[in-house]
Amino acid sequence: MTAGEVPDPDERTVTPAERPAEPSAEAAVETIQREMTAFARRARASAGRMHPELSLVSYTLLGHLEERDGRRATDLAAHYALDKSTVSRQVAALERAGLIERRVDPDDHRVQVLHLSEAGRRILGRVTESRRTAVQERLADWSEEDLVRFAAYLERYNAWQGAAPGDDEARAALRDTYG
């Protein structure tokens, strides 16, 4: 800053005297919660910009169907802890868009299983690649050690069994979008 410039209060640097000597576990949890909330907001906002043809909710459901080679709508509802009618509306929209199809379960002909259509596989592949590229760009200057550590921490966090099964972020996005 040159003489006469007024400092921007939003760009103020925390001085060593203001910085706690050792961050507490409580402060760390607060920081994690705040940063995860910011991440979730950014993910929802960028999803529409990166690939307007596929919402975050649709991406999540299509990815789940791909990973598990199809599922019943009731399985999706249970996995994401959502009401069946909520999932039914989303499934209907994906079906109308030609991204999923229903097939009779070979073990129980009364049951229909949802699978990705070829169009669903293509769009999921494009969007997945787009997301992967965006994440790689954001982490480009991280060391391999930091990347490996970060990946391990995320896996550990997401593996916690204390809550209902499923992807917390996707479940929250589904609830926010469809009640």
Side-chain angles (χ1 to χ4, degrees):
M1 181 171 20
T2 61
E5 274 189 78
V6 178
D8 182 347
D10 293 332
E11 293 184 20
R12 191 175 82 73
T13 303
V14 175
T15 66
E18 296 172 311
R19 191 175 303 123
E22 300 232 359
S24 68
E26 184 177 320
V29 169
E30 286 299 315
T31 299
I32 291 166
Q33 189 277 328
R34 183 182 62 246
E35 294 303 318
M36 289 179 72
T37 299
F39 173 82
R41 283 191 194 121
R42 190 172 40 255
R44 284 190 199 116
S46 69
R49 287 191 310 270
M50 284 175 58
H51 40 79
E53 73 278 15
L54 192 62
S55 72
L56 180 60
V57 173
S58 295
Y59 177 79
T60 300
L61 292 178
L62 292 177
H64 186 87
L65 292 175
E66 181 184 53
E67 287 171 10
R68 286 154 183 86
D69 194 29
R71 283 290 179 248
R72 298 174 306 160
T74 55
D75 296 333
L76 291 173
H79 181 77
Y80 292 108
L82 293 167
D83 187 79
K84 290 176 192 174
S85 65
T86 300
V87 171
S88 179
R89 286 190 301 274
Q90 184 64 25
V91 164
L94 291 170
E95 227 174 345
R96 281 191 306 274
L99 302 178
I100 62 173
E101 57 193 21
R102 294 176 189 266
R103 298 183 197 156
V104 175
D105 186 333
D107 298 329
D108 184 347
H109 295 290
R110 299 169 297 168
V111 175
Q112 293 186 335
V113 179
L114 304 169
H115 290 271
L116 291 180
S117 66
E118 283 307 310
R121 286 188 194 289
R122 280 192 306 274
I123 196 168
L124 181 63
R126 278 197 320 267
V127 171
T128 298
E129 186 56 36
S130 172
R131 284 174 170 242
R132 184 177 295 118
T133 299
V135 170
Q136 286 172 335
E137 288 172 1
R138 185 157 189 119
L139 300 174
D141 63 342
W142 287 37
S143 71
E144 183 175 352
E145 180 183 341
D146 284 347
L147 290 170
V148 169
R149 186 179 304 124
F150 187 51
Y153 288 154
L154 287 173
E155 286 176 337
R156 181 176 166 193
Y157 178 83
N158 286 323
W160 183 63
Q161 298 298 311
D167 177 352
D168 293 337
E169 173 57 27
R171 190 169 43 247
L174 284 163
R175 278 201 194 107
D176 290 351
T177 305
Y178 296 101

